Amino acid sequence: MTSSVAARTYQVRTYGCQMNVHDSERLAGLLEDAGYRRAAEGADADVVVFNTCAVRENADNKLYGNLSHLAPRKQADPNMQIAVGGCLAQKDRAAVLRRAPWVDVVFGTHNIGSLPVLLDRARHNRVAQVEILDALAEFPSDLPAARESSYAAWVSISVGCNNTCTFCIVPSLRGKEIDRRPGDVLAEVQALVDQGVLEVTLLGQNVNAYGVSFADPDTPRDRGAFASLLRACGAIEGLERVRFTSPHPAEFTDDVIEAMAATPNVCPQLHMPLQSGSDRILKAMRRSYRAKKFLGIIDRVRDLMPHAAITTDIIVGFPGETEEDFQDTLDVVEKARFASAFTFQYSPRPGTPAADLDDQVPPETVADRYRRLIDLQERISLEENQAQIGRRVQVLVAAGEGRKDTATARLSGRARDGRLVHFAPGALAEAIRPGDIVSTVVTAAAPHHLIADGGVDEHRRTRAGDATRTDDGQRVGTAVGLGIPTLGAPAPEPQGQTGGECESGCSW
């Protein structure tokens, strides 16, 4: 490590799903191990890393637009470096340099551990470095991490996906599914809990397929491995909340539902991608389930967990979708009573079978259906949240997530079912830290959050809360998600009820 590297700062900009967020924490850890330090908020960094998504068409526009904004700075300071990784880099490869020749490093989804070496090589040789591997070099979970949160953490249980959904490009970029050994997953969870983490989110492109293809050839195939993993997490003392994302309805089995219900620290929250309520469209999407099966899963979940909050992904305007098909989707949404839905207007992705279909739906029709779906889901979300009024909730206080305006003096956090709660701390305002647990009663509701203005009944200080204060006692202001959908107002560009690219990693 040279003195010049030791003084260099970095910034990682993340687009896409939780898997990308997990990878970005590993990229940050790698850079810090190599002597870089995180750039201060609002400051220009010496190294800017883009960890990209390729799921939707606007992902390309967003990346190349941001790269163009950095071009003048790069021209003024040749020592500043720009790296592009993630799914879009895996897809575009050398094309990134053709469109943005001022980029220094391009790396893919399979070799994020190469970033520090590639930056050194590019700086030393004064030439851009492109390294894209077609197979996984090492599990990202085996790399060092610089986590954004002291209280919530991502834990990858697998990478890749064996599904062949016609709209999705992710499997071709992440590769076939490879599962980590259960012992390795549980060891990582235990290590996180030992550091004070209260909540973990188990990540996979299709978590309930876990066990079909372990990286260790001596570990036998086990289709019940995910249910067993959930139960094993329940035995870890100090682990208060377990979430996972995302399952696939075709492989969601009763043993997982039973494990969720029987394991106290598994949260009563489920993200289950629907995509369409039309059986004809589901078949065209190669989604190997139908509306009846999907609704049956939800019924069984609610039989064992009556208060579970269920969220979903839905695509509007898939090629060939008729008004009748769309009405089928509205019917399923009405029956399912989702707490929230990530809704997307279909956009063709080159390299996917759906992109070559002739019967693309006119944009104005897609926009109209999208708005109708949003209106329906907004009504349901409000009704479901209003049903929470009067209920006592346990809130894990968040660092900057969804904080209300200062005039209300409310703090924010997540209930066990994943709902965002804005609560009045009262006289405890200065004592409550991000990572602490409070108990309060819901007094009002909106489509995307709950309000608890009756005060805090109980406040439990935690080790995670201790860690969210700096040495001078000030709060750490970094906004941190809790491994669940961001239930906020729709972003300016139509993306449904989330500020992110997608929730489920592989679903859309």
Side-chain angles (χ1 to χ4, degrees):
M1 181 177 67
T2 65
S3 58
S4 61
V5 171
R8 290 174 69 79
T9 61
Y10 76 90
Q11 178 190 70
V12 180
R13 303 185 187 180
T14 309
Y15 307 101
C17 63
Q18 281 93 337
M19 191 66 75
N20 276 22
V21 176
H22 170 271
D23 287 352
S24 288
E25 291 186 342
R26 303 294 167 173
L27 292 170
L30 286 162
L31 291 172
E32 292 188 7
D33 266 18
Y36 296 79
R37 56 184 174 83
R38 190 188 300 265
E41 188 73 23
D44 288 336
D46 298 312
V47 175
V48 178
V49 182
F50 292 90
N51 189 12
T52 64
C53 174
V55 169
R56 301 173 68 228
E57 186 175 16
N58 75 322
D60 301 58
N61 300 332
K62 183 178 292 185
L63 170 67
Y64 292 110
N66 285 328
L67 288 175
S68 68
H69 292 154
L70 286 179
R73 203 182 136 218
K74 174 70 174 178
Q75 187 174 19
D77 180 11
N79 290 321
M80 178 256 187
Q81 291 185 290
I82 302 170
V84 177
C87 289
L88 192 61
Q90 187 79 23
K91 176 177 76 73
D92 284 3
R93 303 186 177 225
V96 174
L97 292 182
R98 290 198 296 271
R99 296 185 62 174
W102 54 93
V103 168
D104 298 276
V105 170
V106 180
F107 62 101
T109 59
H110 298 310
N111 64 315
I112 66 174
S114 302
L115 177 60
V117 171
L118 294 173
L119 288 169
D120 285 347
R121 194 182 301 160
R123 187 168 53 251
H124 180 270
N125 296 342
R126 296 288 177 180
V127 62
Q129 302 294 308
V130 179
E131 183 176 289
I132 306 291
L133 302 184
D134 291 321
L136 189 67
E138 57 190 328
F139 270 107
S141 300
D142 294 332
L143 302 171
R147 293 186 297 106
E148 293 286 342
S149 169
S150 63
Y151 49 86
W154 317 99
V155 175
S156 174
I157 67 172
S158 66
V159 295
C161 181
N162 294 336
N163 292 316
T164 58
C165 302
T166 57
F167 56 78
C168 187
I169 196 171
V170 171
S172 66
L173 303 178
R174 291 277 184 179
K176 291 291 186 180
E177 180 176 335
I178 304 175
D179 301 325
R180 296 174 69 195
R181 289 192 321 113
D184 292 341
V185 174
L186 293 170
E188 182 179 353
V189 173
Q190 182 66 66
L192 290 166
V193 172
D194 291 344
Q195 296 166 23
V197 167
L198 302 176
E199 174 177 304
V200 298
T201 300
L202 305 177
L203 289 179
Q205 309 295 154
N206 179 5
V207 291
N208 52 323
Y210 178 72
V212 303
S213 181
F214 286 114
D216 179 0
D218 295 329
T219 304
R221 178 186 177 99
D222 179 6
R223 293 308 301 262
F226 186 60
S228 298
L229 186 65
L230 290 178
R231 291 180 184 273
C233 285
I236 297 178
E237 186 176 354
L239 178 60
E240 299 195 19
R241 297 185 177 191
V242 178
R243 305 187 193 275
F244 58 87
T245 192
S246 268
H248 191 293
E251 298 178 272
F252 201 85
T253 50
D254 287 346
D255 63 334
V256 172
I257 301 173
E258 292 162 3
M260 292 174 66
T263 310
N265 62 0
V266 174
C267 293
Q269 182 260 337
L270 175 66
H271 186 77
M272 178 71 78
L274 169 64
Q275 307 305 4
S276 175
S278 163
D279 288 350
R280 191 180 71 84
I281 295 299
L282 287 171
K283 182 177 180 181
M285 289 177 168
R286 291 186 195 155
R287 301 285 289 179
S288 48
Y289 57 89
R290 300 297 177 257
K292 182 178 179 180
K293 177 172 182 174
F294 184 94
L295 290 170
I297 293 171
I298 289 179
D299 287 343
R300 292 195 297 279
V301 169
R302 287 184 172 142
D303 282 344
L304 293 183
M305 293 175 288
H307 298 300
I310 299 175
T311 58
T312 197
D313 295 335
I314 302 173
I315 299 170
V316 177
F318 185 82
E321 181 187 74
T322 64
E323 179 62 26
E324 182 180 3
D325 294 322
F326 178 65
Q327 188 59 53
D328 287 343
T329 296
L330 295 182
D331 291 344
V332 172
V333 170
E334 188 74 68
K335 293 174 183 175
R337 306 291 298 178
F338 297 117
S340 183
F342 289 73
T343 52
F344 304 93
Q345 299 186 44
Y346 172 79
S347 61
R349 304 305 291 133
T352 63
D356 297 326
L357 297 176
D358 294 329
D359 47 353
Q360 303 288 324
V361 181
E364 60 274 15
T365 301
V366 176
D368 174 69
R369 291 174 183 170
Y370 176 82
R371 180 46 53 192
R372 288 158 60 195
L373 175 59
I374 289 290
D375 289 344
L376 172 61
Q377 183 57 53
E378 289 277 295
R379 172 178 65 78
I380 294 172
S381 294
L382 177 59
E383 292 170 354
E384 291 298 302
N385 280 356
Q386 287 173 332
Q388 309 303 311
I389 295 175
R391 180 168 295 165
R392 186 176 305 280
V393 291
Q394 184 191 74
V395 179
L396 175 55
V397 183
E401 184 184 23
R403 181 182 295 272
K404 299 292 283 184
D405 62 273
T406 54
T408 69
R410 296 187 184 114
L411 300 177
S412 302
R414 295 278 175 175
R416 286 183 54 80
D417 66 4
R419 286 183 168 92
L420 178 63
V421 182
H422 301 304
F423 65 95
L428 296 174
E430 290 305 312
I432 297 173
R433 301 87 48 87
D436 283 352
I437 301 287
V438 301
S439 175
T440 185
V441 175
V442 178
T443 58
H448 306 294
H449 64 265
L450 305 176
I451 293 174
D453 276 344
V456 171
D457 299 328
E458 181 183 349
H459 168 217
R460 176 157 56 87
R461 298 171 66 87
T462 67
R463 283 198 298 150
D466 294 340
T468 57
R469 287 186 184 271
T470 59
D471 291 339
D472 60 2
Q474 298 301 309
R475 293 184 188 275
V476 175
T478 305
V480 177
L482 296 177
I484 48 187
T486 303
L487 307 182
E493 96 181 281
Q495 295 190 60
Q497 300 171 44
T498 172
E501 289 296 332
C502 74
E503 156 67 12
S504 57
C506 70
S507 303
W508 180 233

